[in-house]
Amino acid sequence: MAAPQKAHAKKKFMEFLGGKSLRITSQRQAIIDTVFNTEEHFTAEQLLEWSRKLDKSVSRATVYRTLPLLTESGLVHEMDFGKDCKVYDPNYADHPNHNHIICQDCEKIVEFDSEKIEQLEGEISHRLGFSVKTHRLQITGSCDELKKLGACKKKSSC
Amino acid sequence: MAAPQKAHAKKKFMEFLGGKSLRITSQRQAIIDTVFNTEEHFTAEQLLEWSRKLDKSVSRATVYRTLPLLTESGLVHEMDFGKDCKVYDPNYADHPNHNHIICQDCEKIVEFDSEKIEQLEGEISHRLGFSVKTHRLQITGSCDELKKLGACKKKSSC
DNA sequence: ATCAATGCAAATAATTTGCAAAAAG
DNA sequence: CTTTTTGCAAATTATTTGCATTGAT
């Protein structure tokens, strides 16, 4: 269950680095291993913390310098959930068009795909004279847990 | 063309303030008049600038203290278009569920409604065990101007 | 050797806040 | 009078950057 997931994405990112003659240092390796070993969204601060478990020498600056590379590669997306800090989503290699639904109470995030919505987006955009490059759909609401148990535990990342 | 639009929204916001026994000072009045007189999205800095044309004494702090009231009332929404600063949208009184399509080059923003998408969102959310509270759909792409003229002028707010 | 990458600490930039003075009810 | 609001300037917070040093190729 903990074995290296997203091996494909990791490899792709290494190639991305190579293509720009950027080096794979031990710090970057730790960051990459962390990113492509989780399905969870994370903040810069969390990534720092997690990466340091693999390599104590990872600094905040290096995390902040690596994040733009990850997003530029398209394998990680920068998200905004209305918090003060940015959140990063490592699941775009598998599901390049996925959407998010977030519980307003516990901040649980569920990802889903919808071809129908995608298609409608395309039609409407075309009608308005746009050709679609990216789309981002976020729904917020209450999750089952809240309805059943009366409350779901709050979380907060930054 | 310049006459007070959104008179209804403005009135609603005044009532919202009254309900919380908050006062309508001259500075707040200038800010409110500005907000409900435009269809455009704006940043805190722009709101400050525009409000000062109505009342020189409006300060940055007051703008920043008034914005949360505007969003709390639901008449203005805080948006995030991946820029460093937040953008505010004053068009939610008329179209409470509208979506955005943004040109990646000139940052032109077009708003649109889609009942079909809304319905799909509801169905999917329900299937995933969520009841929808809000939804936010942003599409980015290239606008006609770019395709026809080869380029559309870039803009940047912050 | 050469050029990229690092950690550190200082710098940014948007937003927030403490406080004493001013204004509203 | 009492309570809210203001402007100012200082504080906060996430993120970025300059620089001298270290590490990869």
Side-chain angles (χ1 to χ4, degrees):
Chain A
M1 190 61 94
Q5 299 160 326
K6 297 181 197 280
H8 182 60
K10 193 194 288 194
K11 190 178 157 204
K12 273 195 143 184
F13 184 64
M14 305 276 228
E15 287 166 8
F16 171 85
L17 289 181
K20 309 191 78 164
S21 17
L22 296 178
R23 294 162 184 173
I24 297 173
T25 62
S26 67
Q27 291 91 344
R28 269 188 192 152
Q29 187 68 59
I31 293 171
I32 296 169
D33 285 347
T34 302
V35 167
F36 295 113
N37 234 36
T38 183
E39 308 264 307
E40 271 182 76
H41 299 117
F42 52 83
T43 64
E45 198 60 28
Q46 288 174 317
L47 180 52
L48 171 65
E49 195 183 315
W50 298 346
S51 301
R52 277 185 166 162
K53 289 184 183 165
L54 297 184
D55 183 337
K56 268 279 200 181
S57 77
V58 175
S59 75
R60 186 168 282 105
T62 297
V63 166
Y64 275 108
R65 283 192 268 238
T66 304
L67 280 168
L69 297 171
L70 287 160
T71 57
E72 199 189 327
S73 76
L75 296 165
V76 170
H77 275 219
E78 188 180 289
M79 315 287 308
D80 186 284
F81 293 118
K83 305 303 236 62
D84 295 324
C85 65
K86 289 167 188 157
V87 173
Y88 297 86
D89 181 341
N91 302 327
Y92 277 84
D94 316 315
H95 297 279
N97 290 308
H98 72 256
N99 306 296
H100 293 91
I101 179 161
I102 305 108
C103 176
Q104 61 188 341
D105 299 292
C106 63
E107 293 179 21
K108 178 195 306 171
I109 298 174
V110 176
E111 301 184 343
F112 67 92
D113 287 287
S114 170
E115 283 199 12
K116 283 188 191 168
I117 289 181
E118 251 182 85
Q119 190 189 325
L120 283 166
E121 288 173 0
E123 284 170 16
I124 294 169
S125 301
H126 181 68
R127 199 179 310 144
L128 294 172
F130 283 77
S131 48
V132 178
K133 281 296 179 316
T134 70
H135 57 124
R136 169 204 279 182
L137 170 59
Q138 292 175 3
I139 299 173
T140 65
S142 311
C143 72
D144 266 347
E145 199 177 336
L146 181 67
K147 278 176 281 182
K148 287 178 190 154
L149 308 176
C152 46
K153 51 210 172 290
K154 293 201 192 271
K155 214 175 64 176
S156 84
S157 27
C158 57
Chain B
M1 191 59 94
Q5 299 160 325
K6 298 182 199 282
H8 181 62
K10 193 194 287 195
K11 189 178 157 207
K12 273 196 143 185
F13 185 63
M14 306 275 228
E15 287 166 7
F16 171 84
L17 289 182
K20 308 191 77 162
S21 15
L22 296 179
R23 294 161 184 176
I24 297 173
T25 62
S26 67
Q27 292 89 347
R28 272 188 191 150
Q29 187 67 60
I31 293 171
I32 296 168
D33 285 348
T34 302
V35 166
F36 296 114
N37 233 36
T38 184
E39 308 265 309
E40 272 182 74
H41 299 117
F42 53 82
T43 63
E45 198 60 29
Q46 286 174 318
L47 180 53
L48 171 65
E49 195 183 316
W50 299 345
S51 300
R52 276 184 167 161
K53 289 184 183 163
L54 297 184
D55 183 338
K56 268 277 199 184
S57 77
V58 175
S59 75
R60 185 169 283 107
T62 296
V63 166
Y64 274 109
R65 280 192 269 238
T66 303
L67 280 168
L69 296 172
L70 286 160
T71 57
E72 199 188 327
S73 77
L75 296 164
V76 171
H77 274 219
E78 189 179 290
M79 315 287 308
D80 186 282
F81 294 117
K83 305 299 236 65
D84 294 325
C85 65
K86 288 167 187 157
V87 174
Y88 297 86
D89 181 340
N91 302 327
Y92 277 84
D94 317 315
H95 298 278
N97 290 308
H98 73 256
N99 306 296
H100 293 92
I101 179 162
I102 304 109
C103 176
Q104 61 187 342
D105 299 291
C106 62
E107 292 179 23
K108 177 195 304 171
I109 298 174
V110 176
E111 301 184 343
F112 68 91
D113 286 288
S114 169
E115 283 198 13
K116 282 187 192 170
I117 289 181
E118 251 180 87
Q119 191 190 322
L120 283 167
E121 287 173 0
E123 284 171 17
I124 294 169
S125 301
H126 180 68
R127 200 178 310 145
L128 295 172
F130 282 79
S131 48
V132 177
K133 281 298 179 313
T134 70
H135 57 124
R136 170 203 278 181
L137 171 58
Q138 293 176 3
I139 299 173
T140 65
S142 312
C143 72
D144 267 347
E145 199 177 334
L146 180 67
K147 279 176 281 182
K148 286 178 189 153
L149 308 176
C152 46
K153 51 210 172 290
K154 292 200 192 273
K155 214 175 64 176
S156 85
S157 26
C158 57

